[in-house]
């Protein structure tokens, strides 16, 4: 029996488990419009507050995946492996990873998203490149995968349409941090894009949606378990997100840093995460059998220039200006900067850089969205001149703001000054890689 939307909402509001039929009615109603935005928002909040059982989460993922067209790629003979991050500040790993693992023998059919809350989006970064298109047709997508073995696209209107609507609503209704909603959003898209296997970067810390390691582990285990149920081998790597990843935050700035990484000049923290995820992709895809072999292949692809040329080819294939690889002046830049200094009268060490505050400051500048209709400014952002553990001398800048408007500058500056912590003692450094959750356990 078909229920009214308010009946389904009240069931979850009261802490009841939804039936498969109720979950499927919700998803189809989101696509058809039978569930109005305010009703969908109410159910999203009820899910956030009361959770979902593993069965409910699995049903939601499958219903969302089947809400539109499911891509099949039988013509692609290479192993098709993708990667997804749960979101962080300064996380531009996808831009480096896709051409890198393609150069090592994988096919990467990557369907990416836009910025969500304080975190950056891969599509927003790519669209900072003049002319870059993320709206490839199905024919263009398939042809590019066959030729270049990589493509980075957004969701077309007919692939997981339910998630397009729910993703935007979650961003502006305070319902992002829900494990069932995160799982269904990530996996419905990934399972619809034609992959054989998947590697997940599940982040925890100040700049992540999952603040604690236990929360991140719960999400990782849920993601891997649902993927196993759907027949797709998946590994999840837990990584720290307490300070921004790399030195650049903001769309053009992150493109520049990504290209530097492909030239072999990447920051150590960014490359640590990139190599860990890329190596697991090569192993899941059967290209390499050991971590050591995978690392040798990856570093070889960077040293030979193959990964960099793969990125250039990707940009040009999707309508972008490939000269950005050689000349960063082709990217939008503000030309206006302001350095952040703190009142330390002696040599100190950077103790902390609150990633969440840096992400919020970047949004204020215009690098992210504060509402669904916000317009991204690719030229603005923040450059970290010092990272955690580095020494700061008196009158030495810790960060540099790239801005357009004075009001936004002042608001961002006030947040950053509170986000930077100094100490007389050098903090103990630790690896960004916490653990790995393997599909072999499910």
């Amino acid at each position: 029996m078909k229920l009214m939307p308010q009946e389904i909402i009240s069931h979850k509001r009261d802490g009841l488990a939804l039936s498969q039929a109720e979950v499927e009615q919700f998803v189809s109603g989101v696509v058809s419009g039978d569930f109005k935005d305010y009703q969908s928002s109410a159910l999203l909040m009820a899910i956030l507050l009361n959770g979902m059982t593993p069965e409910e989460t699995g049903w939601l993922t499958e219903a969302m995946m089947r809400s539109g067209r499911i891509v099949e790629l039988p013509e692609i003979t290479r192993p098709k492996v993708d990667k997804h991050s749960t979101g962080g500040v300064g996380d531009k790993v996808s831009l480096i990873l896709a051409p890198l693992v393609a150069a090592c023998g994988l096919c990467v059919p990557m369907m990416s998203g836009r910025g969500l809350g304080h975190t950056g989006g891969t599509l927003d970064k790519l669209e900072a490149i003049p002319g870059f298109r993320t709206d490839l047709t199905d024919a263009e997508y398939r042809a590019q995968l066959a030729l270049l073995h990589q493509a980075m696209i957004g969701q077309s209107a007919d692939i997981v349409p339910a998630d397009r609507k729910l993703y935007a609503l979650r961003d502006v209704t305070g319902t992002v941090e829900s494990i069932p909603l995160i799982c269904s959003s990530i996996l419905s898209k990934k399972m619809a894009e034609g992959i054989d296997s998947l590697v997940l970067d599940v982040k925890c810390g100040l700049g992540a949606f999952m603040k604690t390691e236990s929360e991140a582990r719960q999400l990782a285990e849920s993601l891997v378990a649902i993927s196993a149920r759907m027949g797709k081998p998946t590994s999840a790597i837990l990584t720290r997100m307490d300070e921004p990843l790399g030195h650049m935050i903001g769309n053009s700035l992150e493109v520049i840093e990504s290209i530097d990484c492909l030239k072999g000049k990447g920051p150590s923290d960014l490359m640590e995460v990139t190599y860990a995820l890329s190596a697991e992709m090569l192993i899941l895809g059967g290209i390499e059998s050991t971590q050591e072999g995978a690392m040798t292949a990856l570093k070889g692809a960077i040293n030979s220039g193959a990964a960099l040329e793969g990125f250039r080819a990707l940009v040009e294939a999707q309508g972008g200006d490939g000269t950005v690889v050689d000349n960063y002046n082709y990217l939008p830049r503000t030309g206006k900067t302001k350095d952040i200094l703190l009142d330390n009268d002696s040599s100190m060490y950077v103790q902390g850089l609150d990633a969440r505050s840096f992400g919020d400051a970047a949004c204020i500048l215009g690098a992210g969205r504060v509402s669904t209709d916000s317009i991204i400014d690719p030229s603005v952002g923040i450059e970290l001149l010092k990272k955690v553990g580095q020494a700061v001398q008196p009158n030495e800048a810790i960060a540099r703001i790239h801005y357009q408007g004075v009001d936004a500058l002042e608001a961002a500056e006030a947040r950053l000054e509170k986000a930077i912590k100094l100490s007389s003692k050098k903090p103990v450094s630790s690896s960004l890689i916490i653990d790995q959750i393997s599909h072999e356990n499910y």
Side-chain angles (χ1 to χ4, degrees), residues 12-331:
K12 182 50 66 178
R13 178 202 65 196
D14 295 340
L16 301 177
L18 301 181
S19 68
Q20 184 173 0
E22 287 176 310
V23 171
E24 290 174 350
Q25 183 182 331
F26 165 56
V27 173
S28 64
V30 168
V31 176
S32 68
D34 289 345
F35 257 79
K36 306 303 180 187
D37 283 358
Y38 55 85
Q39 292 172 318
S40 297
S41 298
L43 186 53
L44 291 173
M45 183 60 73
I47 291 170
L48 173 77
L49 295 175
N50 294 316
M52 283 184 135
T53 66
E55 290 77 17
E56 285 178 285
T57 307
W59 292 332
L60 180 60
T61 303
E62 291 187 27
M64 287 174 61
M65 179 187 73
R66 298 184 189 286
S67 68
R69 178 171 60 90
I70 299 175
V71 177
E72 295 182 357
L73 300 167
E75 69 274 20
I76 303 297
T77 57
R78 282 189 173 197
K80 300 178 288 293
V81 187
D82 196 5
K83 162 263 173 191
H84 181 83
S85 168
T86 56
V89 180
D91 181 3
K92 69 283 293 178
V93 168
S94 290
L95 277 67
I96 310 160
L97 173 148
L100 176 56
V101 298
C104 294
L106 290 180
C107 178
V108 190
M110 186 174 287
M111 188 185 299
S112 299
R114 300 193 178 278
L116 188 64
H118 65 282
T119 69
T122 297
L123 299 185
D124 299 320
K125 304 180 206 302
L126 289 169
E127 288 173 353
I129 301 171
F132 196 100
R133 291 178 51 220
T134 59
D135 59 344
L136 301 185
T137 66
D138 183 60
E140 289 171 328
Y141 176 63
R142 290 173 181 277
Q144 186 170 315
L145 289 176
L147 179 65
L148 300 181
H149 317 297
Q150 54 174 324
M152 303 180 77
I153 63 170
Q155 289 171 258
S156 64
D158 62 347
I159 295 180
V160 199
D163 185 65
R164 291 171 64 87
K165 207 162 192 179
L166 294 178
Y167 194 89
L169 287 175
R170 287 170 57 216
D171 194 14
V172 295
T173 58
T175 54
V176 169
E177 296 93 340
S178 162
I179 286 179
L181 296 178
I182 293 172
C183 286
S184 59
S185 177
I186 293 171
L187 296 179
S188 62
K189 295 193 292 284
K190 293 303 176 184
M191 299 307 168
E193 68 184 11
I195 60 170
D196 298 320
S197 52
L198 176 66
V199 174
L200 297 162
D201 178 3
V202 180
K203 296 187 178 297
C204 65
L206 296 173
F209 294 124
M210 302 293 107
K211 302 304 179 191
T212 67
E213 182 180 329
S214 63
E215 290 174 326
R217 189 176 297 277
Q218 183 183 356
L219 173 59
E221 290 173 348
S222 182
L223 285 163
V224 174
I226 292 170
S227 298
R229 167 180 170 165
M230 300 178 76
K232 303 292 183 181
T234 297
S235 291
I237 296 177
L238 303 184
T239 66
R240 303 182 199 280
M241 175 45 67
D242 287 315
E243 67 172 317
L245 190 58
H247 291 272
M248 302 293 197
I249 309 162
N251 299 291
S252 283
L253 293 175
E254 292 190 46
V255 171
I256 290 171
E257 187 165 50
S258 299
I259 296 170
D260 278 346
C261 289
L262 292 167
K263 292 178 177 177
K265 300 184 292 183
S268 59
D269 62 335
L270 177 54
M271 291 311 299
E272 179 187 15
V273 174
T274 301
Y275 279 138
L277 295 165
S278 300
E280 184 61 17
M281 289 176 73
L282 294 185
I283 292 170
L284 268 187
I287 299 296
E288 298 290 341
S289 59
T290 65
Q291 186 81 12
E292 294 75 16
M295 289 297 292
T296 298
L298 293 166
K299 291 181 178 180
I302 286 182
N303 293 336
S304 70
L308 178 66
E309 290 311 307
F311 182 78
R312 186 198 305 273
L314 172 74
V315 170
E316 292 176 347
Q318 296 191 214
D321 187 344
T323 55
V324 298
V325 170
D326 310 303
N327 188 344
Y328 300 152
N329 290 327
Y330 283 94
L331 289 162

